[in-house]
């Protein structure tokens, strides 16, 4: 692989006439096995190659990509891109490519994941489906395995590469109106336990009887990690410094201020046992950064272009760790007395970026608890909520766990969550 | 191309029950400007092939971008082996494909001016001028322009003898002005969602003129009032807005794979289950939805789908009653139907095709009715233009939509602009509340180029269309 990449890069170095350039090359091996209603529904495999060349001439920039890598194609890629750059317009926000920089070493490759075979993947799915059948339910989901090698070069001297190998697995169990989901992901398959996933799935499923009708209200909620990840991931986008300074989000001038709740801590980390670590992008190099500490906005992602304009250092949210604590769900129920346990959120969208106002719905089962104990399941709800205000109402946090390959989040107990509508089916 | 025959011959030799190969080249040009800065001037090419093999009632799909005989043979083998593995987890005999004949045919999107032939310099100058004009209003702090052109060249062959040569093209211009004050920011967008046409559409659109109203209305919106309370109101929705509403609340629920529960783990399922066919009152009697993959300029119009099934036109909802679904050769037999409506599409060569929304539109009203008459006949309500926030549950029943621009209607007149309007409704309430649709003179198509579905996610495109329509007694208000 490295030899092939060198050969591609040598052609570009030889052929280019640009003042500056960036080259990205990636090789990605994917295996995706989807199943639905207790049967395999799609099963895909193959390698995807991508060669991207971004050229700048007289502060005019263009980019092209191809997925073939023979000499003629790469020559054509260089010429096409540079021709485009020449007839483009000078960019008033132009910035040179990244220069030589060190970046953190990664530990993404684990033999258990690398050694996963299609046969093993189908075995996992078959065992899961057999379990679902034994319980008289229908199972749908996906097991995906991705192995990628990524290379990045610039004319100004940045040279970097990293490898990733990760898996994701999700299952939705359904029977009649009862429906719930579990999902997991990681870079080390040796930590995967189908039995614990099935136990969790069936435990969630068993707790869902015929949902009792419940009207929307402002009520305490225990958000399980999938729900937390799905709503808090909006901060990856909305925390952006330029959008704040432009007045598109409410964060203008909030650096150093207590904009979020005191129990809310969000960071990007250089090392993690479970998450896939991406050590650099074309915009910046991975650094440990506390974005929000004890509710105080400490830093915001800044693109290289904008960092250059405001004389700051660029930073990216390569991964997200929301700090947890040790409160169990049982203790959360006792603390709140009365409330709802939310397995997941669905179809979250912004109502208004300027106020961080989001809408979305519950999914995969909602449980009503009272006097510290689960009473029964209830219908789904729609919420309209302001993201930062949710963090101000955090009462307690559970242990953090990996949800997606680049996010680790805890269970959260939130006071006074605003549901505005029932979503009956 | 010889590779088609090599693949199909090999699949037959191996004993495939069915196989197809799709050699697919996608060329995309994207131009994106923020204020006076060109953020993207991209030209991207994805070229490869995907091979589907059905063996023992289960699918295997393998893809590659290496064009040699050896690579083709290995990819067929991989697809075959994958299918054999899949067959270990199936229900009964597994998958059976609906009946279809073979075709030898070609299709090409009709267009006058190839958008790829227009120099980037010319495009950049046009959109730079648009951004500049929008920023001439002092309240407009951000002006964004986006242009995308895409051509897809496909060669398709299958074991039933079909050979297709398909060339489609579409373009999508978008312009957005964002007005910002100390305490609010509001945007207005021109976006008709793309169309299967050439650069001549850009010349017809007069985007420079459109940039004027986009900027002015962004400022109007910034200074507009909000609705004080949520209550049941009358809505008049423009065709662009209706494009998104019908996409989410009619298009997705009538995809048969969702009905069958095949997307239960992610995109969701559908309330519009088969026992409702022919008897479910989806909408009022004036509501007629047609699936039409023959629509001129339609984004899903390609001659044939990725099953090799020709484009068709059929009623999905007739006189308000659910009639039929969008189907594929794989999904149709599960409801006892032995023909496909041709809705199987993949995004790129490396995607296995799935059941997608066809071009889907609301037929215009039969009686003569202008938008002005519709408004003058409305005592109190809100007129919504364009697309905004949208959120719908995984069964496609309950939804909340925003919009891009809003007018309050009182005593038959548009009295003041509004902002941050949201409405909430559900199936079947919403489409049954439709009491008037303007006539065919006001029917307009609007595209969707980013319909996400599947795992891994695929992005499909299709066209919707409508005349302005009125909906009574809908909950309309703001966020709270």
């Amino acid at each position: 692989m490295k030899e092939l990449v060198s050969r591609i890069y040598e052609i570009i170095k030889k052929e280019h006439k640009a003042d500056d350039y960036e080259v990205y090359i990636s090789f990605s091996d994917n295996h995706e096995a989807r199943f639905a209603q207790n049967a395999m529904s799609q099963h895909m495999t193959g390698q995807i190659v991508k060669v991207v060349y971004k050229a700048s001439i007289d502060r005019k920039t263009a980019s092209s990509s191809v997925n073939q890598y023979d000499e003629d194609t790469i020559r054509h890629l260089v010429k096409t891109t540079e021709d485009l750059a020449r007839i483009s317009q000078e960019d008033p926000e132009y910035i040179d490519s990244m220069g030589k920089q060190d970046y953190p070493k990664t530990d993404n490759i684990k033999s258990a994941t690398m050694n996963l075979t299609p046969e093993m993947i189908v075995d996992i799915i078959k065992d899961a489906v057999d379990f679902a059948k034994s319980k008289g339910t229908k199972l749908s989901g996906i097991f995906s395995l991705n192995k990628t090698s990524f290379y990045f070069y610039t004319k100004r001297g940045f040279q970097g590469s990293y490898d990733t190998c990760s898996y994701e697995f999700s299952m939705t169990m359904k029977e009649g109106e009862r429906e719930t989901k579990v999902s997991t992901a990681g870079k080390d398959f040796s930590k995967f336990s189908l039995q614990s996933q099935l136990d969790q799935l069936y435990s969630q499923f068993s707790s869902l009887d015929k949902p009792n009708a419940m009207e929307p209200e402002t009520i305490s909620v225990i958000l399980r990690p999938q729900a937390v990840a799905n709503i808090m991931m909006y901060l990856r986008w909305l925390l952006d410094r330029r959008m704040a300074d432009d007045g598109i989000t409410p964060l203008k001038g909030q650096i150093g201020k207590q904009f979020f709740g005191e129990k809310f801590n969000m960071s990007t980390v250089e090392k993690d046992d479970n998450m896939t670590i991406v050590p650099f992008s074309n915009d910046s190099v991975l650094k440990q950064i506390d974005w929000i500490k004890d509710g105080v906005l400490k830093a915001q992602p800044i693109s290289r272009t904008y960092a250059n304009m405001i004389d700051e250092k660029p930073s990216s949210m390569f991964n997200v760790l929301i700090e947890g604590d040790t409160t169990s769900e049982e203790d959360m129920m006792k603390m709140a007395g009365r409330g709802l346990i939310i397995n997941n959120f669905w179809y979250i969208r912004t109502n208004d970026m300027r106020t961080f106002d989001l809408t979305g719905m519950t999914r995969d089962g909602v449980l009503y608890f009272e006097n510290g104990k689960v009473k029964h399941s209830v219908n789904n709800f729609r919420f309209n909520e302001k993201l930062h205000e949710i963090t101000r109402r955090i009462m307690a946090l559970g242990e953090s766990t990996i949800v997606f390959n680049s996010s680790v989040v805890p269970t959260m107990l939130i006071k006074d969550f605003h549901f505005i509508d029932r979503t009956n089916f | 191309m010889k590779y088609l025959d090599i693949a199909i011959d090999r699949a037959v030799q191996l004993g495939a029950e069915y196989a197809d190969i799709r050699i697919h080249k996608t060329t995309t040009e994207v131009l994106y400007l923020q204020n006076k800065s060109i953020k993207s001037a991209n030209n991207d090419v994805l070229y490869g092939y995907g091979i589907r093999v059905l063996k023992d009632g289960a699918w295997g799909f393998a893809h590659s971008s290496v064009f040699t005989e050896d690579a083709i043979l290995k990819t067929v083998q991989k697809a075959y082996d994958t299918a054999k593995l899949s067959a270990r987890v199936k229900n009964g005999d597994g998958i059976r494909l609906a009946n279809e004949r073979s075709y030898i045919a070609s299709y090409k999107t009709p267009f006058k001016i190839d958008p790829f032939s227009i120099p980037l310099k010319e495009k950049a100058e046009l959109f730079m001028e648009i951004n500049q004009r929008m920023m001439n209003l002092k309240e407009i702090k951000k002006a964004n322009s986006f242009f995308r052109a895409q051509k897809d060249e496909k060669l398709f062959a299958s074991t039933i003898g079909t050979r297709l040569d398909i060339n489609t093209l579409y373009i999508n211009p978008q312009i957005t002005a964002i007005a910002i004050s100390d305490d609010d920011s509001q945007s207005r967008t021109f976006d008709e969602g793309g169309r299967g046409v050439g650069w001549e559409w850009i010349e017809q659109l007069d985007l420079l003129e459109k940039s004027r109203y986009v900027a002015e209305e962004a400022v109007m919106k910034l200074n507009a009032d909000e609705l004080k309370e949520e209550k049941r109101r009358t809505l008049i929705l423009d065709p662009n807005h209706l494009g998104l509403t019908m996409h989410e609340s009619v298009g997705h629920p009538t995809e048969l794979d969702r009905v069958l529960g095949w997307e239960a783990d992610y995109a969701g399922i559908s309330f519009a289950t088969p026992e409702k066919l022919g008897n479910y009152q989806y909408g009022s009697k004036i509501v007629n939805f047609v699936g039409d993959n023959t629509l001129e300029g339609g984004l899903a119009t390609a001659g044939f789908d990725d099953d090799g099934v020709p484009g068709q036109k059929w009623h999905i909802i007739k006189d308000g009653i659910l009639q039929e679904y969008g189907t594929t050769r794989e999904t149709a037999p599960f409801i006892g139907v032995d023909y496909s409506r041709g809705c199987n599409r993949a995004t790129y060569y490396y995607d296995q095709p799935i059941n997608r929304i066809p071009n889907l539109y609301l037929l215009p009203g039969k009686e003569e009715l202008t938008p002005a008459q519709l408004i003058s006949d409305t005592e109190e309500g809100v007129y919504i233009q364009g697309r905004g926030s949208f959120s719908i549950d995984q069964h496609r029943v309950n939804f909340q939509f925003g919009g891009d621009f809003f007018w309050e209607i009182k005593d038959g007149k548009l009295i003041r602009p509004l902002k941050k309007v949201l409405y909430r409704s559900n199936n079947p309430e919403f489409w049954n509340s439709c009491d008037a649709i303007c006539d065919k003179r006001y029917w307009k198509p609007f595209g969707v180029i980013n319909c996400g579905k599947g795992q891994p996610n695929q992005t499909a495109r299709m066209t919707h269309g409508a005349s302005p329509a009125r909906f009574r007694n809908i909950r309309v208000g703001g966020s709270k």
Side-chain angles (χ1 to χ4, degrees), chain A residues 145-393:
Chain A
L145 174 66
N146 172 275
K147 302 171 188 173
T148 299
S149 296
F150 189 90
Y151 302 82
F152 181 50
Y153 305 94
T154 72
K155 186 165 182 177
R156 295 185 64 248
F158 186 92
Q159 291 204 7
S161 68
Y162 62 89
D163 298 314
T164 66
C165 179
S166 60
Y167 69 94
E168 290 189 357
F169 181 51
S170 66
M171 297 181 284
T172 293
M173 182 174 268
K174 184 165 169 52
E175 195 275 318
E177 290 182 49
R178 291 197 291 171
E179 173 183 350
T180 194
K181 175 176 179 169
V182 293
S183 58
T184 188
K187 62 185 172 189
D188 190 353
F189 186 69
S190 69
K191 294 182 180 176
F192 174 82
S193 160
L194 177 62
Q195 194 55 53
S196 70
Q197 290 295 308
L198 289 172
D199 289 347
Q200 174 69 27
L201 181 69
Y202 197 62
S203 156
Q204 284 178 207
F205 184 81
S206 303
S207 67
L208 304 173
D209 41 21
K210 186 172 170 53
N212 286 22
M214 182 172 170
E215 291 301 316
E217 61 176 281
T218 297
I219 189 169
S220 294
V221 291
I222 295 170
L223 302 183
R224 285 181 166 157
Q226 188 84 34
V228 171
N230 277 327
I231 194 164
M232 291 303 165
M233 285 312 104
Y234 271 73
L235 284 174
R236 289 184 93 145
W237 168 48
L238 293 172
L239 222 53
D240 180 74
R241 174 67 178 271
R242 189 167 193 177
M243 288 206 296
D245 288 356
D246 285 343
I248 292 170
T249 65
L251 293 178
K252 187 173 186 175
Q254 293 298 325
I255 287 275
K257 294 183 182 168
Q258 184 89 44
F259 191 78
F260 298 90
E262 284 178 6
K263 287 190 168 68
F264 191 65
N265 291 287
M266 188 167 120
S267 57
T268 286
V269 294
E270 284 187 25
K271 287 187 186 332
D272 187 83
D273 288 342
N274 297 308
M275 282 192 285
T276 295
I277 298 295
V278 172
F280 59 81
S281 68
N282 64 326
D283 222 37
S284 60
V285 164
L286 170 66
K287 281 176 294 199
Q288 162 85 38
I289 297 176
D290 288 331
W291 306 105
I292 299 162
K293 185 82 183 160
D294 300 329
V296 175
L297 182 64
K298 305 291 280 186
Q300 290 173 273
I302 310 176
S303 68
R304 286 181 65 245
T305 302
Y306 192 56
N308 185 52
M309 290 163 71
I310 60 171
D311 202 20
E312 292 268 7
K313 288 189 174 157
S315 55
S316 301
M317 205 177 291
F318 287 92
N319 57 62
V320 172
L321 174 69
I322 297 178
E323 199 176 282
D325 200 345
T326 56
T327 312
S328 67
E329 265 190 19
E330 288 70 27
D331 287 341
M332 287 182 181
M333 284 194 278
K334 284 177 194 155
M335 287 169 74
R338 176 177 177 275
L340 299 172
I341 296 174
I342 310 294
N343 278 316
N344 206 351
F345 286 131
W346 169 245
Y347 226 120
I348 301 170
R349 292 289 184 275
T350 53
N351 287 327
D352 184 12
M353 285 171 68
R354 180 61 177 247
T355 58
F356 277 174
D357 189 23
L358 303 179
T359 191
M361 290 152 290
T362 60
R363 182 173 174 173
D364 301 328
V366 181
L367 297 171
Y368 174 75
F369 65 88
E370 206 175 75
N371 300 323
K373 288 204 170 124
V374 171
K375 292 286 179 188
H376 49 75
S377 59
V378 294
N379 48 257
N380 284 294
F381 298 97
R382 173 176 295 285
F383 66 86
N384 279 345
E385 267 281 8
K386 291 183 171 64
L387 192 49
H388 57 295
E389 290 182 359
I390 296 172
T391 69
R392 292 174 185 169
R393 287 184 252 119

Side-chain angles (χ1 to χ4, degrees), chain A residues 34 37 40 43 63-65 67-68 91 93 123 170 172 181 246 347 349 352 354 357 363 384 424, chain B residues 37 39 41 43-45 47 61 86 88-89 91 142 180 182 263 265-266 390-391 398 420 479:
Chain A
R34 293 187 87 189
Q37 307 297 305
M40 292 287 290
H43 201 167
S63 170
S64 302
S65 71
N67 69 332
Q68 309 282 317
D91 184 358
E93 297 182 4
D123 283 344
S170 66
T172 293
K181 175 176 179 169
D246 285 343
Y347 226 120
R349 292 289 184 275
D352 184 12
R354 180 61 177 247
D357 189 23
R363 182 173 174 173
N384 279 345
N424 289 340
Chain B
S37 174
K39 294 299 176 199
N43 185 289
D44 300 299
V45 179
Y47 185 32
F61 177 80
S86 300
R88 291 176 51 199
V89 190
N91 290 321
K142 304 287 277 185
I180 301 173
D182 286 344
E263 292 289 336
D265 188 54
Y266 180 61
F390 54 101
S391 176
N398 306 275
K420 301 183 183 180
S479 174

Side-chain angles (χ1 to χ4, degrees), chain B residues 3 5 37 54 105 139 150 157-158 217 254 259 393 422 437 444 479:
Chain B
Y3 293 135
D5 293 331
S37 174
L54 185 66
E139 294 91 343
Q150 182 171 317
S158 75
E217 292 190 353
T254 56
V259 173
D393 71 54
L422 298 168
I437 306 172
K444 276 198 76 173
S479 174

Side-chain angles (χ1 to χ4, degrees), chain B residues 105-108 164 166 168 293-294 300-305 308-312:
Chain B
S106 63
Y107 176 83
K108 189 176 180 193
L164 302 172
I166 310 270
T168 56
N293 284 342
T294 67
T301 302
F304 293 81
D305 74 350
V309 175
Q312 296 163 55

